[in-house]
Amino acid sequence: MAAVMFVWAIFRQLFPDEFQRDVRKYGKKVVSYVYPYVEITFHEYQGDSLFERSKAFVSIELYLSSNSSNRAKRLKANVVKNCESVVLSMDDYEEVTDEFKGIKIWWTSSKSIPQQRALFSYRGDEEKRYYRLTCKREHRDIITKNYLQHVLDEGKAIAVKTRQRKLYTNNKSENWSGSKRTIWSHIIFEHPSTFDTLAMHPKKKKDILDDLMMFSKSKDYYKKVGKSWKRGYLLYGPPGTGKSSMIAAMANLLEYDIYDLELTSVKDNTDLRKLLIDTSSKSIIVIEDIDCSLDLTGQRKEKKEESKEEEKDPVSKKVEEEKDKKSNGSEVTLSGLLNFIDGLWSACGSERLIVFTTNFLEKLDPALIRRGRMDKHIELSYCCFETFKVLAKNYLDLESHELFSTISRLLEETNMTPADVAENLMPKSFEDNAVGLKNPINPTNAASCLNKLIESLENAKEEARMKAEKEARIKAQEEAAKTIEKNEEKVQDTDAKLGDGEGKRADQDTDKVQFTDAKENGVTTA
Ligand SMILES: Nc1ncnc2c1ncn2[C@@H]1O[C@H](COP(=O)(O)OP(=O)(O)OP(=O)(O)O)[C@@H](O)[C@H]1O
Ligand SMILES: [Mg+2]
């Protein structure tokens, strides 16, 4: 060994670099003729992308961590899902073996360290980690065609299972500096709402659940019919009826990320497009209260009323629309938003839901919510008895109760949102509980909550009655005032006419006398 190293050192000293490179190259060639193995290397960062880890590398890392970590002796620990679990992966320079259809495969993790580190190093100068797969030459085909695909698929599946879902929101356009981090900010998404906790008519709920499940499994169908794999949902209804809760439930059901898009922070249509490109697949893009976000609504109608010419000339209409946007600070236009939803750019990425929520369906432009853009319109309305039953089950563990019939009647007679009903069903005291403080639900608490709800419903009913009466009274007063005004106007008109007619009447008097005479004589004149 000492002799070999000595000769090697002399060789490196005496011969130029180019010559050494050639020797190494040909040396490797010679070895490869007799070397019975194939090696495939997967680098952590590839090609142009210096900031994004290679997807293959990440998948392999996950695959090896779940399949081979029990065989490796040195491991690295990663904490995921808010300290809930630990994922172990191979440490650097560790080797593990795997088996596929009776074939043995070796995986090694390693890193190449740059010779000199630049003072201001960027990604390219840092250590480059890689995984190396080694297998026998005769298994080359099966490894490259089947085994690698198997590793990538398994890795992807593990990523979906272990990933922390995120809730993103867009930063103001002025604060962007190009990378995804500055365009969208995020926190870990941990909303507890699910379709079990969501109170709505069971039939309607099932319909939505089926629709969502169908969508998530329809990759091939969308491809077949030539549509990009996305679906629009419009949730509308009064405040507190569960629109936001339903979005959270959708995300929890399908395990999607949420991109909560604040339109007023977007400078113009180009920025809107950038935001869209930077969203990932398996996500829900949400625009809450679309009717208030920007004055996108009703513009078409107003313009029509304002000017008939614009109706004929769509170009000038768009120019006007853009001018209006400028005055609002955000230049996002209706056409920009329509393109965002189903223009050419919307086809980048896949498996996405776009959800709009609004309190006023009638305020929205029909183009925005037509089928194809917003495929499913879901109304979330005031609490009916079926909705109440779900809430009672969730909040009080009650399937039935003697007070249910009273509540059912009152719910039919008055409008109360599920949010208000839920608030009444929240037990206020924990001390009454005989079992323990942790579970506030007991029969006494349940009955008192139901009574509280009945009281609130009666109050709401009384308030609604008084409001209706007041409105009727105001309307009657207004009608009366209008009638008086009209009568006065009539009187004034008659007076004015009479005043005008004074002079004329004197002239006409002679004619009238003649006319009367003629009538008396049985002669009619035109
Ligand atoms: N259908 C429902 N099922 C269960 N809980 C509900 C339902 N509707 C409302 N709630 C309760 O009321 C609260 C408010 O509901 P949510 O924020 O979903 O209403 P919203 O329709 O989005 O209202 P807004 O139009 O004001 O945004 C929720 O935290 C939830 O606890
Ligand atoms: Mg909401």
Side-chain angles (χ1 to χ4, degrees):
M1 278 300 273
V4 169
M5 283 178 76
F6 178 73
V7 171
W8 179 243
I10 297 284
F11 172 76
R12 288 187 67 178
Q13 287 285 322
L14 296 181
F15 293 93
D17 275 356
E18 292 83 39
F19 182 68
Q20 287 181 33
R21 222 173 292 139
D22 284 349
V23 169
R24 252 184 247 131
K25 200 168 94 187
Y26 290 111
K28 272 186 188 167
K29 260 192 181 172
V30 171
V31 171
S32 72
Y33 283 116
V34 285
Y35 192 62
Y37 298 103
V38 179
E39 287 180 349
I40 308 172
T41 309
F42 298 89
H43 290 278
E44 189 172 12
Y45 296 94
Q46 282 180 326
D48 301 341
S49 173
L50 292 174
F51 296 100
E52 201 183 352
R53 296 173 87 205
S54 137
K55 288 197 174 84
F57 183 91
V58 175
S59 293
I60 293 167
E61 187 174 44
L62 288 167
Y63 172 80
L64 292 178
S65 65
S66 80
N67 288 284
S68 317
S69 60
N70 46 356
R71 274 166 269 158
K73 291 189 186 87
R74 284 180 304 115
L75 299 158
K76 273 192 301 191
N78 253 331
V79 177
V80 296
K81 287 210 170 171
N82 214 4
C83 299
E84 276 171 31
S85 60
V86 176
V87 172
L88 297 174
S89 60
M90 279 160 68
D91 204 356
D92 297 332
Y93 307 115
E94 185 68 10
E95 185 180 271
V96 288
T97 49
D98 193 19
E99 235 179 74
F100 181 70
K101 295 183 180 170
I103 301 168
K104 203 171 178 190
I105 300 122
W106 292 266
W107 282 102
T108 43
S109 70
S110 191
K111 59 185 174 189
S112 55
I113 300 163
Q115 306 254 311
Q116 290 162 329
R117 229 171 245 248
L119 190 58
F120 301 103
S121 76
Y122 72 109
R123 176 91 271 151
D125 297 328
E126 289 171 10
E127 300 169 343
K128 289 172 181 161
R129 293 178 62 218
Y130 59 84
Y131 282 112
R132 180 164 288 158
L133 176 157
T134 312
C135 66
K136 288 218 169 116
R137 246 193 230 181
E138 64 259 34
H139 300 137
R140 184 196 175 114
D141 274 359
I142 197 157
I143 294 296
T144 50
K145 283 184 189 139
N146 304 346
Y147 176 69
L148 282 181
Q149 195 56 49
H150 160 77
V151 171
L152 297 181
D153 290 347
E154 286 259 312
K156 251 192 233 167
I158 298 166
V160 170
K161 250 191 269 164
T162 54
R163 81 184 173 129
Q164 290 183 315
R165 279 177 305 114
K166 290 171 186 156
L167 170 61
Y168 293 87
T169 186
N170 54 311
N171 297 322
K172 264 194 168 298
S173 292
E174 297 92 64
N175 303 338
W176 295 0
S177 67
S179 89
K180 182 171 177 168
R181 268 166 180 261
T182 56
I183 294 182
W184 292 102
S185 316
H186 70 263
I187 55 161
I188 304 298
F189 176 67
E190 289 177 319
H191 201 292
S193 175
T194 64
F195 272 92
D196 289 333
T197 63
L198 194 69
M200 62 191 303
H201 200 288
K203 228 172 115 189
K204 212 167 164 186
K205 194 192 279 189
K206 189 175 174 304
D207 182 41
I208 298 166
L209 271 171
D210 289 348
D211 193 82
L212 287 169
M213 292 318 293
M214 178 85 181
F215 169 77
S216 69
K217 291 177 197 154
S218 315
K219 183 178 181 182
D220 294 334
Y221 177 75
Y222 275 82
K223 200 171 170 189
K224 184 174 157 267
V225 296
K227 275 174 80 159
S228 55
W229 191 14
K230 63 182 177 55
R231 193 158 171 81
Y233 283 81
L234 174 72
L235 310 183
Y236 64 97
T241 47
K243 296 180 290 298
S244 306
S245 309
M246 176 172 276
I247 296 170
M250 284 174 168
N252 284 333
L253 175 78
L254 300 173
E255 306 222 303
Y256 284 2
D257 290 329
I258 295 186
Y259 287 87
D260 189 1
L261 181 60
E262 178 53 56
L263 271 185
T264 46
S265 308
V266 187
K267 201 169 96 220
D268 52 24
N269 295 341
T270 317
D271 281 356
L272 191 61
R273 206 173 293 152
K274 278 187 199 153
L275 282 164
L276 177 72
I277 296 164
D278 269 325
T279 57
S280 58
S281 299
K282 282 188 174 288
S283 60
I284 305 182
I285 300 171
V286 180
I287 305 181
E288 288 250 44
D289 298 316
I290 181 90
D291 52 308
C292 318
S293 295
L294 284 178
D295 189 22
L296 298 164
T297 52
Q299 279 192 5
R300 294 183 171 188
K301 281 176 229 152
E302 278 167 27
K303 294 278 172 303
K304 269 180 207 165
E305 279 160 23
E306 273 170 30
S307 154
K308 288 264 156 90
E309 273 170 37
E310 280 179 19
E311 209 173 276
K312 287 176 215 156
D313 180 5
V315 180
S316 62
K317 198 171 105 182
K318 278 206 172 150
V319 171
E320 274 300 310
E321 198 181 74
E322 304 227 341
K323 270 187 199 162
D324 276 12
K325 285 301 118 227
K326 271 183 190 150
S327 61
N328 282 345
S330 169
E331 293 167 33
V332 175
T333 59
L334 181 60
S335 65
L337 190 63
L338 300 183
N339 279 329
F340 172 81
I341 305 165
D342 71 348
L344 285 175
W345 289 88
S346 70
C348 62
S350 59
E351 206 176 347
R352 269 198 294 230
L353 295 178
I354 298 175
V355 183
F356 287 173
T357 72
T358 179
N359 295 137
F360 306 99
L361 182 65
E362 61 286 351
K363 273 200 198 172
L364 300 182
D365 194 296
L368 194 62
I369 55 171
R370 70 154 168 77
R371 309 280 154 165
R373 284 207 178 95
M374 291 292 112
D375 304 282
K376 202 160 170 65
H377 296 188
I378 301 170
E379 184 180 11
L380 289 145
S381 191
Y382 292 109
C383 193
C384 63
F385 185 58
E386 290 299 327
T387 314
F388 161 76
K389 278 207 292 199
V390 181
L391 287 172
K393 176 89 189 59
N394 289 340
Y395 281 74
L396 302 172
D397 271 347
L398 280 182
E399 301 259 1
S400 63
H401 195 277
E402 58 196 22
L403 293 173
F404 272 21
S405 54
T406 320
I407 292 172
S408 164
R409 178 179 52 79
L410 283 168
L411 282 172
E412 267 171 34
E413 289 166 0
T414 186
N415 286 339
M416 188 177 262
T417 60
D420 286 336
V421 174
E423 182 54 31
N424 281 299
L425 295 183
M426 289 269 280
K428 288 279 181 284
S429 99
F430 284 67
E431 282 80 31
D432 294 352
N433 188 5
V435 186
L437 289 181
K438 273 190 185 148
N439 180 13
I441 302 164
N442 61 36
T444 334
N445 263 351
S448 78
C449 287
L450 292 179
N451 278 319
K452 194 155 51 108
L453 175 63
I454 291 176
E455 201 181 305
S456 295
L457 280 168
E458 273 166 354
N459 286 344
K461 191 176 150 188
E462 184 59 22
E463 265 173 33
R465 192 185 59 77
M466 277 163 53
K467 198 175 159 201
E469 268 181 21
K470 197 177 164 190
E471 273 172 8
R473 219 180 305 130
I474 291 172
K475 210 175 167 192
Q477 279 171 359
E478 277 173 3
E479 295 272 305
K482 264 186 203 164
T483 328
I484 291 170
E485 217 170 273
K486 264 187 197 165
N487 284 345
E488 273 175 3
E489 268 172 21
K490 262 188 198 166
V491 170
Q492 274 172 4
D493 273 1
T494 334
D495 283 354
K497 272 181 196 163
L498 282 175
D500 273 0
E502 286 288 281
K504 280 181 194 168
R505 206 175 297 147
D507 300 337
Q508 283 168 0
D509 274 351
T510 28
D511 297 344
K512 253 188 192 171
V513 173
Q514 282 174 7
F515 180 70
T516 329
D517 289 348
K519 254 184 164 178
E520 276 169 6
N521 297 331
V523 183
T524 49
T525 49

